[in-house]
Amino acid sequence: MNILEYIETRFQEFFNRKPEVIASAPGRLDFLNTHQDYKGLPVVSVAINKRTYIAVSRSNTTQIVSLNLCVENQPCIDEFSVENPVLKGGGWFGDYIRSVVLVLKNKLGVTGEFNMLIYSDIPVASGLASSAALQVSAVKALSELWGFNLSRGEIAELAYTSEHDVMGIPCGRLDQYGSAFGYISRIETKPPYRVSTLKTQLFKFVAVNSGIKHSTGAIHPVRIYEIKRGIEQLLKQELPVEVKKLLSTNIYEVKWEELSIEDIKPYIEKLDETPRKRILFTLKMNYSTRLALELIENPSRSKLREVEEYLSRECSKCLEEADSASSHQLKLLGGLVNYQHVLLRDLYDVSLPQLEEIRRKALEAGAFAVKISGAGLGGALLAMVEDGSRGLNVVRETSRITSGSWLVEIDEGVRREK
């Protein structure tokens, strides 16, 4: 029995009828420019072949069933009226669907009770964007059921509004857009939220679930406050006019891509240590992402030399860790990804000793780059390998000390299954 047959069978067991629509959306790895989407900077996501499936049909009353929670003997059934889908709070799983219904009602004016069955093979709170996959697939399933032909961008934005505005989770747009569009996607997180797909066969990914539960809502607000404090301290100094006009106490409105470390070096050194580190992180993370994208898309001789010189100055060890890569281009790309992990660890303080041990094991097993994927302080790491045999070796070695590792395929975005 394949996954769709299983979902259909379980749907019929619960609701005594077949679903009218089944939709699915992928989880994602946070590839480049981690922790930058809520600052309005472009980010790079990788959709993976771990997906959330949602089956729906019209009904006289609304009932939601989470198969995963039922299997775990947790409260797994939610009931509410589409006319009044009030959030319950307290981490209730049904709020993810209630918030989607609220947004669809407000934006599209829809009504209509329904039955819904949820099944996911994305581990929860693992840094693989399980909540975004849930809401993206829910928007897709319900919009199809109610007759709306939404674009991927519209689905992503509705899912973002549901999680950020309605549920109050301080996320950026990385997860929702990465899940909706799929593949390796460069996502611009300021309007008009353009998404471009990167096509490359140079490497494969291993997703490693540390097993340490983490909460985006507990990490992002703290880092946002720390960066805002740094900007406020900068604005109190006698800055050049051309620098001052790039800044704002709303970190989403700072013109980060026009700001360089050289511009603010004399001033940033006067900041308190924590906000100074957070601002340096933001600028260095974004610059290294630009280098990595150029390296993938146009690996000219001059670009290779520029990246090598940059890493030699910033983190020669990051380059050494990528020695197992077979080409100079891949070694440099791996060095940049390793460097982004170092920035997350040393300037953003979102690593843990357990994550560093998992990372060490993955590098020893044959990965040429390993970094935190997602908010950090737990969750997932991504490892880059050149071939399946090395990937399976990384899976074997890291699985001994984690909650699971998978050699994943790059997958498409949200889709209607039937």
Side-chain angles (χ1 to χ4, degrees):
M1 184 183 295
N2 66 33
I3 185 67
L4 296 182
E5 291 171 341
Y6 172 71
I7 290 168
E8 278 194 337
T9 299
R10 297 308 305 273
F11 192 96
Q12 193 146 14
E13 288 173 3
F14 277 102
F15 303 118
N16 199 31
R17 61 173 300 178
K18 288 187 175 182
E20 296 176 57
V21 176
I22 300 177
S24 74
R28 66 95 190 97
L29 288 167
D30 183 2
F31 185 22
L32 297 167
N33 235 12
T34 304
H35 274 288
Q36 303 278 64
D37 52 341
Y38 53 84
K39 304 167 195 173
L41 285 164
V43 290
V44 184
S45 169
V46 180
I48 60 174
N49 60 333
K50 285 192 166 294
R51 303 181 73 90
T52 293
Y53 297 83
I54 287 188
V56 290
S57 68
R58 282 164 284 206
S59 176
N60 293 324
T61 58
T62 292
Q63 188 175 80
I64 318 295
V65 175
S66 166
L67 279 183
N68 301 74
L69 291 175
C70 290
V71 169
E72 295 170 7
N73 292 317
Q74 300 290 323
C76 62
I77 298 175
D78 188 27
E79 296 179 345
F80 61 90
S81 168
V82 169
E83 290 301 313
N84 188 31
V86 178
L87 303 191
K88 291 178 69 173
W92 178 238
F93 87 93
D95 282 353
Y96 286 95
I97 308 304
R98 292 174 183 229
S99 63
V100 165
V101 172
L102 277 167
V103 169
L104 290 176
K105 283 187 66 179
N106 291 338
K107 301 289 185 179
L108 305 177
V110 299
T111 56
E113 307 295 334
F114 60 91
N115 288 327
M116 176 182 288
L117 185 75
I118 303 166
Y119 173 76
S120 181
D121 56 15
I122 307 170
V124 174
S126 64
L128 299 177
S130 58
S131 61
L134 172 60
Q135 293 190 295
V136 166
S137 55
V139 172
K140 176 68 171 176
L142 290 173
S143 64
E144 293 277 334
L145 182 71
W146 290 329
F148 291 95
N149 184 25
L150 301 179
S151 69
R152 293 182 186 276
E154 289 169 327
I155 291 169
E157 191 62 19
L158 288 167
Y160 167 78
T161 303
S162 169
E163 190 163 2
H164 183 272
D165 296 0
V166 179
M167 295 189 69
I169 296 172
C171 58
R173 286 178 169 82
L174 165 70
D175 294 355
Q176 294 82 12
Y177 278 76
S179 183
F181 282 86
Y183 303 108
I184 302 179
S185 294
R186 181 188 183 274
I187 304 157
E188 294 184 21
T189 59
K190 284 187 175 178
Y193 313 121
R194 287 187 293 263
V195 178
S196 55
T197 299
L198 301 177
K199 293 182 172 25
T200 177
Q201 302 293 324
L202 292 174
F203 45 81
K204 296 179 179 294
F205 292 97
V206 174
V208 185
N209 179 11
S210 70
I212 303 167
K213 300 291 185 182
H214 76 304
S215 168
T216 297
I219 299 170
H220 285 192
V222 176
R223 296 297 176 270
I224 290 169
Y225 168 76
E226 291 163 346
I227 297 167
K228 182 179 178 181
R229 189 155 61 92
I231 298 294
E232 289 171 348
Q233 290 178 7
L234 276 175
L235 288 170
K236 289 178 180 177
Q237 300 182 46
E238 293 294 326
L239 299 172
V241 173
E242 62 272 16
V243 173
K244 193 168 187 176
K245 69 182 182 181
L246 301 177
L247 302 177
S248 168
T249 52
N250 181 342
I251 70 169
Y252 186 77
E253 294 178 0
V254 174
K255 294 182 173 61
W256 295 107
E257 292 187 280
E258 299 176 40
L259 195 63
S260 71
I261 293 175
E262 289 71 28
D263 289 336
I264 59 172
K265 191 172 183 180
Y267 314 99
I268 203 170
E269 291 172 352
K270 300 175 184 178
L271 303 183
D272 295 340
E273 182 183 9
T274 296
R276 177 178 59 81
K277 286 167 60 177
R278 306 305 185 241
I279 291 174
L280 281 173
F281 167 90
T282 302
L283 297 174
K284 291 187 174 190
M285 198 76 165
N286 191 56
Y287 182 71
S288 62
T289 294
R290 249 177 46 209
L291 290 178
L293 289 172
E294 291 167 0
L295 200 59
I296 293 171
E297 296 172 319
N298 184 28
S300 65
R301 195 171 296 178
S302 61
K303 183 56 60 179
L304 294 172
R305 184 166 57 250
E306 180 186 353
V307 173
E308 185 160 23
E309 290 172 355
Y310 180 76
L311 284 171
S312 297
R313 291 194 309 271
E314 289 287 319
C315 184
S316 58
K317 184 181 178 183
C318 298
L319 202 50
E320 292 167 11
E321 289 175 335
D323 269 341
S324 63
S326 62
S327 72
H328 193 45
Q329 178 192 7
L330 272 187
K331 180 177 177 179
L332 292 172
L333 178 62
L336 288 170
V337 173
N338 290 329
Y339 174 60
Q340 293 207 349
H341 176 82
V342 168
L343 295 176
L344 287 160
R345 183 191 68 201
D346 295 348
L347 294 182
Y348 230 55
D349 297 307
V350 291
S351 189
L352 296 167
Q354 301 97 310
L355 299 182
E356 295 303 313
E357 176 61 15
I358 295 167
R359 183 173 183 271
R360 185 183 67 81
K361 284 280 189 187
L363 288 167
E364 288 178 353
F368 66 91
V370 187
K371 69 175 280 290
I372 287 169
S373 171
L377 297 179
L381 295 94
L382 71 82
M384 297 174 67
V385 294
E386 285 192 68
D387 54 62
S389 60
R390 290 190 192 187
L392 291 173
N393 194 47
V394 171
V395 168
R396 183 172 59 251
E397 293 302 315
T398 55
S399 291
R400 295 173 181 173
I401 57 171
T402 67
S403 292
S405 301
W406 308 274
L407 180 62
V408 294
E409 299 291 333
I410 298 170
D411 206 355
E412 66 178 295
V414 65
R415 66 189 180 216
R416 178 169 178 164
E417 300 286 352
K418 63 178 299 182

